[in-house]
């Protein structure tokens, strides 16, 4: 009988969408928290190509950096984590087209102790 009660409760449970209001305009969205912290950056000089991303919510083993052809692929994912408010899971995918003069074999990635993923590559001579 308690199983029937549970089934009845589940049938009566309805999800309602809550619209997301905002008071800003933007054509594109790039990365979490990019507007105020300045941690998202792409540097492309004659000497190097560098990407810096705020990935403070991820551990090194939850971050994957790959190169596929002329694309730099960044994937960050963590499973559900519980906290005092409920639970959270995160998954972000970002790709960057590498400039034609980047030496892809020189790509290196480093996670700083402040949670910034810095990916650098040298330019070809």
């Amino acid at each position: 009988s308690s199983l029937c009660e549970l089934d009845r409760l589940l049938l009566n449970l309805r999800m309602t969408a809550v619209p997301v209001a905002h008071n800003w305009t933007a054509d594109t969205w790039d990365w979490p928290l990019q507007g105020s912290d300045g941690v998202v950056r792409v540097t492309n000089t004659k000497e190097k190509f560098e990407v810096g991303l705020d990935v403070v919510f991820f551990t090194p083993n939850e971050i994957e950096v790959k190169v596929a052809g002329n694309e730099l692929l960044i994937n960050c994912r963590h499973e559900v984590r519980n906290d005092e408010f409920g639970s959270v899971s995160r998954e972000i995918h970002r790709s960057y087209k590498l400039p034609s003069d980047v030496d892809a074999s020189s790509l290196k990635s480093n996670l700083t102790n402040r949670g910034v993923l810095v990916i650098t590559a040298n330019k070809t001579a």
Side-chain angles (χ1 to χ4, degrees):
S1 113
S2 65
L3 183 57
C4 291
E5 264 181 13
L6 180 60
D7 286 342
R8 194 168 41 257
L9 285 172
L10 289 173
L11 288 174
N12 290 329
L13 180 65
R14 293 183 1 198
M15 281 198 240
T16 304
V18 178
V20 177
H22 59 87
N23 62 356
W24 51 269
T25 59
D27 294 330
T28 61
W29 180 89
D30 186 21
W31 197 263
L33 308 176
Q34 75 171 6
S36 61
D37 61 13
V39 177
V40 176
R41 69 179 191 285
V42 177
T43 304
N44 187 20
T45 67
K46 287 188 277 187
E47 294 80 29
K48 71 175 181 174
F49 174 78
E50 182 175 283
V51 175
L53 300 169
D54 181 351
V55 294
V56 71
F57 294 113
F58 300 95
T59 63
N61 63 344
E62 295 168 334
I63 301 168
E64 181 179 68
V65 178
K66 292 182 176 181
V67 175
N70 67 341
E71 278 197 286
L72 174 64
L73 307 172
I74 303 157
N75 300 301
C76 303
R77 180 175 191 263
H78 73 68
E79 299 297 327
V80 174
R81 294 181 185 159
N82 296 312
D83 61 21
E84 69 270 23
F85 305 109
S87 63
V88 64
S89 64
R90 294 178 181 91
E91 185 167 1
I92 300 170
H93 305 279
R94 182 66 168 103
S95 68
Y96 291 93
K97 184 177 179 186
L98 291 171
S100 59
D101 60 346
V102 164
D103 177 6
S105 67
S106 72
L107 274 164
K108 292 183 173 58
S109 65
N110 180 60
L111 182 61
T112 71
N113 61 356
R114 300 187 80 166
V116 177
L117 178 65
V118 179
I119 303 165
T120 58
N122 297 325
K123 295 294 187 87
T124 56

